[in-house]
Amino acid sequence: LQISPLLTWGRGGVLGDGTTVSRRSPGTIAGAGTNWCQVSASCFHTAAIKTDGTLWSWGFNASGQLGDGTLVNKCSPGTIVGGATTWCQVDTGGYHTAAIKTDGTLWTWGCNVIGQLGDGTTVSRSSPGTTWGSYTNWCKIVSSNTNTFAIKTDGTLWTWGCNDCGSLGDGTETNRCSPGTIAGGGTTWCKLSSRFHSAAIKTDGTLWTWGHNCFGALGDGTTVSRCSPGTIFGGGTTWL
């Protein structure tokens, strides 16, 4: 997939156009370029990968979420510390970032006060570092506001960070700073999305949810939060 070019709009300072001016219509980022292939935007920063495998970031950087070794905001794209041309997937959380390389390693940086970097500490960092365990079989990553989720090539689903209302799906409400599998385990997870609650699909087409549910976000017919995965109301095996 090639994006030609990369367009942004919305709040100023995170658009990567070299200014801090908000805009309501799409415009190109500073430096333009027609070889962008993947992008992720949070409320405060953006990260994107080019077809040459380089990873670029811009926006607010108070927690080091840009991964450039500083805490300085920047309004135009710049590469992260260490460079590298083997990045294949990136996802931005509220104040942290996670990315996977083609060798299957998972790297995180930014705010870590609740353990969302998964490195076994609660120390924030402004440059990329591998998660606890340094595994090489990660294939999918999702960064929410205060936690992180990832799927391995063996189909297992791992979570870490903030666990309010059971958002990690491990059967507890205890925060954790290193990756752990969700309650019930399983080796058939294939798709995932998360913010204040989580939803994931298995290879059998079933849809599972967990976490914050006061607005009925879990789709189980209740407004009761839950700390382990459960199927939605009506079930079904045709979710995509």
Side-chain angles (χ1 to χ4, degrees):
L1 173 64
Q2 183 168 310
I3 304 172
S4 176
L6 175 56
L7 305 174
T8 59
W9 57 94
R11 182 181 184 181
V14 295
L15 302 185
D17 62 354
T19 78
T20 57
V21 180
S22 301
R23 63 181 179 219
R24 298 182 180 180
S25 57
T28 55
I29 61 173
T34 58
N35 60 337
W36 300 101
C37 62
Q38 197 238 320
V39 63
S40 177
S42 74
C43 293
F44 302 105
H45 70 294
T46 306
I49 298 174
K50 289 188 175 183
T51 53
D52 62 6
T54 55
L55 176 54
W56 301 67
S57 61
W58 58 92
F60 296 102
N61 196 29
S63 299
Q65 60 262 49
L66 298 187
D68 63 355
T70 79
L71 300 179
V72 179
N73 302 337
K74 63 187 180 195
C75 55
S76 58
T79 53
I80 63 169
V81 166
T85 59
T86 55
W87 299 102
C88 61
Q89 187 182 160
V90 65
D91 200 66
T92 52
Y95 299 94
H96 74 289
T97 307
I100 296 175
K101 288 186 176 182
T102 53
D103 63 3
T105 54
L106 173 56
W107 301 69
T108 56
W109 56 93
C111 183
N112 194 31
V113 295
I114 315 178
Q116 55 264 58
L117 299 189
D119 62 355
T121 78
T122 53
V123 179
S124 300
R125 62 180 178 225
S126 59
S127 58
T130 53
T131 59
W132 183 87
S134 300
Y135 299 105
T136 59
N137 59 340
W138 300 103
C139 63
K140 295 181 182 178
I141 185 75
V142 171
S143 299
S144 73
N145 289 333
T146 54
N147 42 40
T148 310
F149 302 78
I151 296 176
K152 289 186 176 181
T153 53
D154 62 6
T156 55
L157 174 55
W158 299 68
T159 62
W160 58 93
C162 180
N163 201 18
D164 286 348
C165 297
S167 55
L168 297 185
D170 64 352
T172 78
E173 293 188 12
T174 304
N175 301 338
R176 66 175 179 227
C177 57
S178 58
T181 52
I182 62 170
T187 59
T188 56
W189 300 101
C190 62
K191 292 185 179 180
L192 171 69
S193 181
S194 180
R195 278 306 175 206
F196 295 103
H197 67 289
S198 300
I201 296 175
K202 290 188 176 183
T203 53
D204 63 3
T206 54
L207 174 57
W208 300 70
T209 58
W210 62 92
H212 196 274
N213 195 32
C214 68
F215 299 109
L218 301 188
D220 62 355
T222 78
T223 53
V224 179
S225 299
R226 64 177 178 226
C227 56
S228 58
T231 53
I232 63 168
F233 178 82
T237 58
T238 56
W239 298 100
L240 299 176

